[in-house]
Amino acid sequence: MALFSTPPTSLCILRLSAIGDVCNAIAAVQAIQAQWPETHITWIAGKAEAALLTPLLPDVEVIAFDKKLGFKGMKTVWKALKGKRFDALLHMQSAIRASLLSVGIKARYTLGFDKVRASDLQSWFTNINVPSPQSLHVLDGFMAFTETLGLAPQTPTWSLPISDNDAAWAQSQMSDEPTLIVAPAASKAFKNWTAEGYAGVIEHAIEKGFDVILAGGPGKIEIELGQAIEQKLTHPVKNLIGKTTLLQLLSLEKEAALVLAPDSGPAHLANAVNTPVIGLYAHHNPARTGPYNWRQYVVSAYDEAIKAETGQLASEVSWRTRVKDPDAMQRITIDHVIARFDEVVEKEGLCS
């Protein structure tokens, strides 16, 4: 049953993190804007995520929550919301921190996941359960919120403005050859593929006429993996790991022909700017967390790893079951990824 037969005056989005999930949630927010352009939207997001959202969603009021400040950070958000009451709060994050933060957000309705998707006692903090869609994917779960509000179903799309400065910078990093962006590291090391694997695929891409750029965040995991890859290459590549902002990375991926990444924010950033992505997966089901429009190009060892670990097929375990084997990503071979690379290059017409 739809909550609103006419557009509400104001909505609040509560999705704090992570970058990939926030990228997916953008599509749901822009679906609301497309059908209810007069509805005022406020989005409460983590500090890094808010820095990304503010320029990308100029018509949305973005309020940053600094989790490092703990309860003080919550009080700062509540102070920014003083005097505001929303028609509905879309509580899109099953995490106790987000639920505690929701206590200080005044709304007529608080929408949360149903018992299939809710966790961390989220249902204690909501009064409307959003029915789970048939699809496992996180984004389809977010889109279900929009339908519960009363929007007509629609295919997720993204419209992300890139500043002239960021676009010019990204274009200056490109050569005349098609560019493969390799964003090798996720924030959690167990999600990462091997330096040997990446180096093998990069050498193959260079032989096929691609320019290659390494990209990623400034964390120790990212930087060290990038350096390890460089040490195994016989051809030099441009290493921009730790040298870009999120907006520059987004711009870089928009200019690229193809992105290679594990289950991480850069994979979803590329998806949001419609650049083909080869996602590498073993720990999480890519049907749930893969780059939405490019799931057909995922290289996944999830089914194999979950069978080895549980003795069950992926279809027989809970939809959120994670493979715990820290070496699961090593089930992905260089040959698997090269074969997928060649397939994508041919299907997408990436080489002349």
Side-chain angles (χ1 to χ4, degrees):
M1 178 179 174
L3 290 178
F4 300 101
S5 57
T6 58
T9 300
S10 63
L11 298 172
C12 184
I13 310 297
L14 179 56
R15 180 71 213 191
L16 302 177
S17 61
I19 293 297
D21 290 317
V22 165
C23 282
N24 284 322
I26 286 173
V29 169
Q30 292 191 322
I32 296 171
Q33 291 180 307
Q35 294 189 36
W36 292 340
E38 300 304 316
T39 297
H40 180 79
I41 299 175
T42 299
W43 188 333
I44 302 168
K47 189 175 179 181
E49 290 78 8
L52 177 70
L53 290 172
T54 298
L56 295 180
L57 298 175
D59 296 328
V60 172
E61 177 189 17
V62 179
I63 297 176
F65 166 63
D66 189 346
K67 66 179 182 181
K68 293 180 180 179
L69 297 179
F71 184 66
K72 183 178 178 181
M74 292 186 186
K75 290 176 65 176
T76 299
V77 171
W78 296 337
K79 183 177 180 180
L81 294 173
K82 187 176 181 180
K84 294 186 178 182
R85 182 176 180 84
F86 301 96
D87 294 306
L89 166 63
L90 280 61
H91 185 350
M92 291 180 162
Q93 187 144 9
S94 278
I96 192 64
R97 179 186 288 117
S99 290
L100 291 174
L101 183 55
S102 75
V103 171
I105 304 171
K106 296 181 174 63
R108 179 182 178 188
Y109 302 112
T110 299
L111 286 67
F113 299 107
D114 65 8
K115 64 181 181 179
V116 175
R117 298 196 179 213
S119 60
D120 287 348
L121 306 178
Q122 191 205 41
S123 59
W124 289 16
F125 298 84
T126 62
N127 55 26
I128 300 291
N129 290 335
V130 175
S132 291
Q134 291 297 312
S135 165
L136 297 180
H137 202 278
V138 169
L139 175 50
D140 292 318
F142 291 160
M143 295 301 289
F145 278 75
T146 71
E147 294 178 30
T148 300
L149 288 175
L151 267 67
Q154 63 188 91
T155 301
T157 59
W158 292 259
S159 177
L160 304 183
I162 303 293
S163 73
D164 291 343
N165 285 343
D166 286 336
W169 175 84
Q171 290 162 7
S172 73
Q173 306 302 313
M174 303 291 159
S175 69
D176 293 332
E177 305 299 330
T179 299
L180 168 67
I181 301 292
V182 177
S187 58
K188 297 177 181 177
F190 67 81
K191 291 184 178 182
N192 295 338
W193 198 32
T194 64
E196 293 82 2
Y198 282 119
V201 176
I202 289 170
E203 295 282 4
H204 177 77
I206 292 172
E207 290 172 3
K208 292 290 185 178
F210 276 74
D211 187 29
V212 178
I213 297 176
L214 298 178
K220 181 180 179 182
I221 292 172
E222 291 98 323
I223 290 172
E224 290 183 350
L225 182 53
Q227 291 171 343
I229 292 168
E230 282 193 288
Q231 291 171 2
K232 296 181 182 301
L233 293 172
T234 60
H235 298 84
V237 297
K238 185 177 292 184
N239 186 349
L240 296 180
I241 294 175
K243 300 175 183 177
T244 64
T245 65
L246 277 173
L247 290 169
Q248 287 175 326
L249 177 58
L250 183 72
S251 303
L252 202 65
E253 292 190 330
K254 185 174 183 179
E255 295 295 328
L258 180 61
V259 171
L260 173 65
D263 182 6
S264 62
H268 297 285
L269 288 170
N271 175 79
V273 291
N274 202 35
T275 297
V277 189
I278 299 174
L280 306 180
Y281 283 72
H283 289 275
H284 292 98
N285 189 341
R288 175 180 171 235
T289 64
Y292 191 80
N293 288 330
W294 307 102
R295 283 169 282 176
Q296 71 273 25
Y297 292 152
V298 161
V299 177
S300 175
Y302 178 79
D303 290 357
E304 176 186 338
I306 206 72
K307 180 69 183 299
E309 192 163 280
T310 69
Q312 296 178 290
L313 300 175
S315 59
E316 297 172 328
V317 300
S318 167
W319 66 282
R320 57 163 58 95
T321 303
R322 178 177 75 82
V323 170
K324 298 177 182 178
D325 177 8
D327 297 321
M329 286 291 286
Q330 295 184 28
R331 292 178 178 272
I332 296 175
T333 69
I334 295 174
D335 288 344
H336 286 153
V337 183
I338 286 177
R340 182 70 83 220
F341 174 88
D342 289 342
E343 175 192 346
V344 176
V345 167
E346 180 178 358
K347 286 186 175 180
E348 300 296 326
L350 301 182
C351 277
S352 56

